[in-house]
Amino acid sequence: MKSLAANLLGTPSEAEDAVQETFLKIYRAAASFRGSATLSTWAYRVLVNTCYDLLRRRARRPESPVSSVEPPVDFGSAPATDHPLRVDLAASLAALDSRRRAAFVLFEVEGFSHREVGDILGVPEGTSRSLVFEARRELQRRLLGSREARA
Amino acid sequence: MSQCRRFEEWLDRGTENGFAELETHAAACGPCREELELWNRISQAAPSLRKRWESPGLWVRIEKSIHESRRADEASRGRKESRAWWPLLAAAALFLVAMIGLRVFRPSLGERELLTSRSFSKPLLTEDALSDVEKSEERYVASIERLSRLAEPKLRQPSTPLLISYREKLLLLDTAIAELRSQLDQNRFNTHLRKELLAAYQEKQHTLEQVVKEEKS
């Protein structure tokens, strides 16, 4: 959950705040859980919505030092999972709109199926596929752009 | 960007259809092969974006906030329970005043017969008033239900994060309304609970209106 929140929000402190708020919301709203989704999917849905709320709050604060298009903090990665493209990819991901970023992170980073991503984002499975495709397309173009700029 | 536009054209189509043909083409086209490699590397690199860091204080913070929330809930419930005695106390005081009044202004036998024939055959005013309140509440709930039906298609498949938030909020409001209604079933005369229920309905109405507006915008 921390990883997902960090990829959506960009900073570890905000990610931890989002996870804390999510657990509190889950505690308060446990009665409203209808069983139409699995508990974990529901919990992730609450987390994603909490992250959206935090992003909206951040957007309303013009003096906020962390912009939504600013490259995120580099958390580092375990050597076994590191990839030469990671840093560029993280920077490009931070520039995506929150919906596509959430779909991409849930599917490609966290490994959820399109059906689960749809459940979490409250969209049909086909929309999840489209969102992930659009995110990859955007990332591809940004990565190519930065590669050409460097060249 | 490459000279060949095949990869770009495929991207513009917006679906993964035709990927096999593109792979075949890329085997013989250098620029497209490069783009295809980058496309595949995005998925390969994505798992490395999983972030892991130690946050030893986080669970303690979560537990603390849950405990605080529970304490606040209990305190609020305690206040509500103590307030639940107020109507009873008010009724007792009214009864006492009425009894004293009855003693002081006790009517004569003739007047008593007149009163019996004219007034006591009618039901109590408070019961009438409560019945009126319940009827207007039913009408209000019905109008909210109509609004709910208008917003339902958008809420079933919300297309924006804002709509998802509204749906979560409506779920919470429905839970609160159900809880208040069950409490009211045990004490129909509790005006405080009625005010809270009305506030919850008003919030639901406002939220549904926002959803409908969001639908139009």
Side-chain angles (χ1 to χ4, degrees), chain B residues 12-28:
Chain B
D12 287 338
R13 261 185 261 157
T15 70
E16 300 241 13
N17 295 343
F19 188 71
E21 290 92 325
L22 186 73
E23 273 183 314
T24 314
H25 162 77

Side-chain angles (χ1 to χ4, degrees), chain B residues 64-98:
Chain B
K64 199 178 161 197
S65 63
I66 288 176
H67 281 308
E68 277 169 7
S69 168
R70 194 183 297 162
R71 266 202 297 274
D73 285 351
E74 280 166 6
S76 144
R77 207 174 303 133
R79 276 198 300 275
K80 274 183 197 163
E81 277 165 10
S82 67
R83 275 185 217 145
W85 286 96
W86 292 359
L88 215 62
L89 283 173
L94 196 67
F95 179 74
L96 199 65
V97 170

Side-chain angles (χ1 to χ4, degrees), chain B residues 85-187:
Chain B
W85 286 96
W86 292 359
L88 215 62
L89 283 173
L94 196 67
F95 179 74
L96 199 65
V97 170
M99 290 305 287
I100 293 166
L102 206 66
R103 279 216 170 270
V104 175
F105 303 106
R106 191 175 184 148
S108 65
L109 185 63
E111 285 169 328
R112 241 183 282 168
E113 279 169 359
L114 200 64
L115 276 171
T116 311
S117 62
R118 277 184 191 166
S119 314
F120 291 172
S121 57
K122 289 181 187 170
L124 285 170
L125 181 66
T126 48
E127 188 63 47
D128 279 350
L130 185 63
S131 167
D132 283 347
V133 168
E134 282 175 342
K135 274 179 197 159
S136 58
E137 190 184 291
E138 273 169 29
R139 282 196 295 274
Y140 188 38
V141 171
S143 70
I144 289 177
E145 283 305 312
R146 280 196 292 278
L147 198 57
S148 219
R149 278 196 291 277
L150 272 178
E152 198 193 351
K154 206 70 191 173
L155 288 171
R156 208 184 309 127
Q157 292 185 340
S159 55
T160 63
L162 189 60
L163 282 173
I164 297 169
S165 301
Y166 282 144
R167 190 170 67 176
E168 297 290 337
K169 185 180 171 184
L170 285 166
L171 278 174
L172 288 174
L173 281 169
D174 282 342
T175 312
I177 287 169
E179 198 178 311
L180 284 165
R181 290 207 72 89
S182 74
Q183 284 178 23
L184 264 175
D185 284 344
Q186 290 162 13
N187 181 5

Side-chain angles (χ1 to χ4, degrees), chain B residues 2-6 24-35:
Chain B
S2 62
Q3 298 295 311
C4 179
R5 298 275 309 153
R6 277 285 288 275
T24 314
H25 162 77
C29 173
C32 285
R33 189 167 53 246
E34 262 184 46
E35 292 214 40

Side-chain angles (χ1 to χ4, degrees), chain A residues 2-3 6-7 12 15-17 19-20 23-24 27-29 31-32 34 42 45-46 49 52-53 56 75-77 81-86 89-90 93 99 104 108-110 121-124 133 136-137 139-141 143-144 147-148, chain B residues 1-2 7-8 10-16 34-36 38-55 58-59 61-62 65-66 69-70 73 156-162 164-165 167-168 171-172 174-175:
Chain A
K2 278 194 304 183
S3 168
N7 272 313
E16 288 179 3
D17 286 349
V19 171
Q20 182 185 346
F23 272 98
L24 195 57
Y27 165 73
R28 282 177 182 155
S32 72
R34 302 279 159 91
W42 180 65
R45 187 192 300 172
V46 177
N49 286 334
Y52 286 157
D53 285 345
R56 267 195 294 274
F75 294 78
S77 177
T81 60
D82 207 359
H83 193 281
L85 202 62
R86 182 175 61 84
L89 186 61
L93 186 67
R99 210 158 159 247
F104 180 86
E108 297 279 14
V109 181
E110 300 296 328
L121 298 182
V123 296
F133 184 88
R136 276 180 77 177
R137 181 173 62 187
L139 291 170
Q140 170 103 358
R141 287 177 174 160
L143 288 169
L144 272 176
R147 187 189 278 182
E148 278 167 13
Chain B
M1 289 281 168
S2 62
F7 195 88
E8 275 296 306
W10 177 75
L11 283 182
D12 287 338
R13 261 185 261 157
T15 70
E16 300 241 13
E34 262 184 46
E35 292 214 40
L36 187 65
L38 181 60
W39 178 262
N40 291 329
R41 281 175 69 205
I42 290 174
S43 282
Q44 289 161 10
S48 69
L49 293 179
R50 270 205 112 174
K51 300 176 195 318
R52 286 188 184 86
W53 74 96
E54 292 295 318
S55 30
L58 180 59
W59 190 245
R61 268 167 60 193
I62 291 170
S65 63
I66 288 176
S69 168
R70 194 183 297 162
D73 285 351
R156 208 184 309 127
Q157 292 185 340
S159 55
T160 63
L162 189 60
I164 297 169
S165 301
R167 190 170 67 176
E168 297 290 337
L171 278 174
L172 288 174
D174 282 342
T175 312

Side-chain angles (χ1 to χ4, degrees), chain A residues 40-121:
Chain A
S40 68
T41 308
W42 180 65
Y44 272 95
R45 187 192 300 172
V46 177
L47 175 66
V48 170
N49 286 334
T50 304
C51 290
Y52 286 157
D53 285 345
L54 289 171
L55 286 171
R56 267 195 294 274
R57 264 181 253 165
R58 187 200 287 172
R60 279 200 291 267
R61 288 195 308 259
E63 73 281 8
S64 171
V66 185
S67 145
S68 61
V69 292
E70 206 171 298
V73 174
D74 187 7
F75 294 78
S77 177
T81 60
D82 207 359
H83 193 281
L85 202 62
R86 182 175 61 84
V87 175
D88 284 347
L89 186 61
S92 301
L93 186 67
L96 291 188
D97 70 88
S98 55
R99 210 158 159 247
R100 290 191 182 115
R101 185 168 36 179
F104 180 86
V105 172
L106 286 165
F107 182 76
E108 297 279 14
V109 181
E110 300 296 328
F112 285 102
S113 68
H114 278 300
R115 188 186 177 147
E116 289 167 326
V117 175
D119 281 345
I120 292 168
L121 298 182

